[in-house]
Structures are given as C-alpha cells and as structure tokens.
Amino acid sequence: MKRAIALSKKGFPAPNPHVGCVLVKDGRIIGEGCHRFAGGPHAEVVALKAAGDNARGATAFVTLEPCNHTGRTGPCSEALIRAGVAEVYYAVGDPNPKAIGGGAELQAAGVTVRAGLCEVEARSANRQFLFAFESGRPLVVAKAAVTLDGRLALNNGASKWITGEAARAAGHSLRAELGAVLVGRRTVQMDDPELTARIKGVVNQPLRIVLDPDNLLLGTEKVFNKNAETWHITGRIDLPQVLVRLRESGRTGLLVEGGATTLGRFMDARLVDRLELFVSPKLFGSGKTWLEMAEIDDPTQALHVKDVTVTRIGEDLRIVSTPAWN
C-alpha cells in the first residue's frame, strides 16, 4: 500500500483524485499504475493492463475505494472483477456520491475486500480531493514569490524574475495540481501573465480566474487567450460565492497567486487553507509587500501560522504553512 501511495502522488489528475494501485501475486508485484490526468485511464486499469492475464487470483492494493460509476472511463470495480482479482485492499473510502459502492460491488462478486490500510498516509496524499467533498468547497492555496525583505515587486511594478527557475517550475506545478488559478486585475495589467502550467506532464490546463470588479481589462491580455478556459469576474466580488461556483463546476482546488490586495482579501475572509511562499535571497529595500490584510493595532492580534516546513528549492526557500484560524 505504501508503494501505491507513492505512485498516487504522480501526475496532475485534478479535479479527479490521486489514486495509485499495485497488484501482487505470489509475493511479487505484477502490475502497478496511477491516475495521471482527468480523462485518462484510472490507476486500477493501468495496473491491470500491465499484469495482463496474470491478474487472475492477484491481490490489489488501491489508495482509494475503486469507483463504481461510468464517466469518461468505466467502473474500476467491474474491471477488477472481470480480471479475476481475488482480494482488494483500499485505504480510503470514496466520498464522491456518484462513485461510491465499489467495495460493496466487489464483495457481491465474491472478491475479499478490506478497507482502511494506511488510511492516514493515503488521506494526506489525496487531501485536496477529500477536502472538497468533506467541506463543500475547493481547497485554497495562497502563493507568492517574494524577496527576503518580503517584496512582491518594485515600486514601478517590475517583478520578473524574483525567484529562480526551480521555484517558478514549482509554481506551475501548483497551478496544475490545484486545477484552477486566480489573480486580481492589477496583476494582469502589470505582468500580463498567461497563467498556464508550462511543465512536463500537464494534459489539462488549469482554469484561469481574473477578478476585475471595475471591468477595466481589455480582453486582449494573455490570460484571455485560447490556451485554457478563463472566468472574467466583474462587478461586486463575493469570494465565498466564487468558491461555490468553482465547486459546482466540479473543481476541487484553487491557487490564489495575487496580487497583494487579492491575497489579503482571501486571508481576511479566512478562506486560505495553505500558504506557499517562495523566498529569494534578494533584497529590494523598497517596493510592494506581498500581502495587504486588514490593519491591526496590537501585535497580539497577529495571525499565527502552524505546521511550518522550510525546504531549499534551487537558490530559494519554499516555506509552507497553515493559517491558524482557530
């Protein structure tokens, strides 16, 4: 199962779940796979194809309960039954009401089913998908690339490139992983970003969202090209309603990239579930800070973060944390 969990972390399947599958027979692995992108073959199907006829009588280790519905692909429960798999271990039950019932379907067909193996580890690897179904809204990650003195850009708006190539690639990976990316109008005007995920392995580009309350954008900016879908939201901006709309469209995650005002609005509304800061070993001395939240008048009112991890990424630092809302 730990091998299946490791496999599940590959690819960019948003808005679908991360799933890994390992088939074992006579003490050895005979097939394995993962779900790499939405619309592609599911992990169980990839593993069964690798095993071929040898799958009959095998044991399957799957990180998520095999699905029991037909979408762009067929039910994985039926694929396992047809292949003659004798036993299935899965780590986490499927929360999707359209897909549940795979375990029961397998049992009804005479397959031995056991649930809950390595559940904690599997849930962690699939947090975005599970969070969306359990909370009713997408997982929101706020991201910024900043200098060591906390600057997002110079006073004239210049910001390319604060961080190095490795950190920028990680940012593109976050776009693909979350499946949707959001910025404010000023970011589009100053940087003219395309907001696509330009890295290897991305099949489905993230949805792009631009908040433009005064409808000042021209529609000719790169974010409106045909390389990905774009939502141009004008008028009164209701952030919770934006998240409701995202969830209703099937999305499970959202990356908020800026700028400072937009990041601050999400933070003030307590709608951020994770912070991702990429910090460059540079000093601007002046310029625009990366976050503009509501003003406080006492240091004891400062927002704390928890679960902080710091890693090197190229010449930069990646600081990941969780806002301590409670």
Side-chain angles (χ1 to χ4, degrees):
M1 184 64 81
K2 289 184 177 180
R3 171 64 181 166
I5 292 170
L7 286 169
S8 77
K9 297 176 183 180
K10 297 182 178 182
F12 301 102
N16 289 354
H18 280 278
V19 183
C21 177
V22 173
L23 290 171
V24 176
K25 188 174 183 180
D26 298 328
R28 65 182 184 89
I29 293 175
I30 59 170
E32 61 182 25
C34 67
H35 182 42
R36 290 187 176 272
F37 63 93
H42 289 190
E44 297 94 323
V45 173
V46 176
L48 288 170
K49 184 177 180 180
D53 293 340
N54 204 24
R56 185 162 299 279
T59 297
F61 295 86
V62 192
T63 58
L64 188 70
E65 180 183 7
C67 66
N68 196 43
H69 82 301
T70 299
R72 283 183 281 187
T73 61
C76 290
S77 56
E78 292 184 8
L80 291 165
I81 293 167
R82 287 196 305 270
V85 170
E87 189 172 15
V88 173
Y89 286 82
Y90 68 82
V92 181
D94 194 331
N96 185 351
K98 295 180 180 179
I100 59 175
E105 185 76 10
L106 287 162
Q107 285 183 320
V111 179
T112 300
V113 178
R114 306 179 193 278
L117 181 63
C118 297
E119 181 176 1
V120 173
E121 297 96 321
R123 287 186 66 87
S124 178
N126 214 14
R127 184 181 178 228
Q128 176 181 320
F129 179 80
L130 297 172
F131 178 94
F133 277 94
E134 292 167 358
S135 70
R137 69 165 177 82
L139 181 79
V140 177
V141 177
K143 173 256 179 184
V146 302
T147 61
L148 195 58
D149 54 348
R151 307 295 179 174
L152 190 68
L154 296 172
N155 284 322
N156 64 9
S159 62
K160 294 183 178 180
W161 297 102
I162 288 178
T163 53
E165 186 175 337
R168 295 199 299 273
H172 283 246
S173 181
L174 283 172
R175 291 175 182 175
E177 178 69 29
L178 276 299
V181 55
L182 180 149
V183 296
R185 179 265 308 167
R186 181 173 172 78
T187 294
V188 173
Q189 289 181 321
M190 297 302 297
D191 298 341
D192 196 19
E194 188 174 22
L195 297 182
T196 51
R198 299 181 295 280
I199 53 174
K200 184 178 179 181
V202 175
V203 174
N204 302 308
Q205 287 293 338
L207 168 69
R208 303 173 295 190
I209 304 170
V210 180
L211 303 184
D212 181 16
D214 297 317
N215 200 15
L216 297 178
L217 296 177
L218 302 175
T220 57
E221 295 85 357
K222 290 178 183 176
V223 74
F224 298 115
N225 64 26
K226 296 181 179 180
N227 292 339
E229 181 184 358
T230 301
W231 289 359
H232 183 199
I233 300 179
T234 60
R236 179 178 175 272
I237 305 296
D238 184 328
L239 295 184
Q241 189 56 41
V242 171
L243 295 183
V244 167
R245 182 182 171 190
L246 268 172
R247 190 70 197 98
E248 289 176 346
S249 73
R251 270 74 180 195
T252 57
L254 174 66
L255 180 66
V256 181
E257 284 203 17
T261 301
T262 300
L263 287 165
R265 289 188 64 183
F266 273 87
M267 292 291 287
D268 284 334
R270 297 192 170 194
L271 292 174
V272 174
D273 304 298
R274 190 171 86 232
L275 282 171
E276 293 257 3
L277 283 184
F278 295 88
V279 183
S280 168
K282 299 173 184 175
L283 299 171
F284 279 0
S286 63
K288 302 180 184 301
T289 58
W290 71 274
L291 182 65
E292 294 180 5
M293 292 177 62
E295 185 176 352
I296 60 174
D297 53 21
D298 191 311
T300 61
Q301 298 173 339
L303 171 65
H304 287 254
V305 296
K306 60 183 180 179
D307 304 325
V308 181
T309 62
V310 182
T311 55
R312 289 289 297 271
I313 180 165
E315 63 179 8
D316 306 308
L317 294 178
R318 183 177 188 171
I319 305 174
V320 181
S321 64
T322 303
W325 300 124
N326 298 321

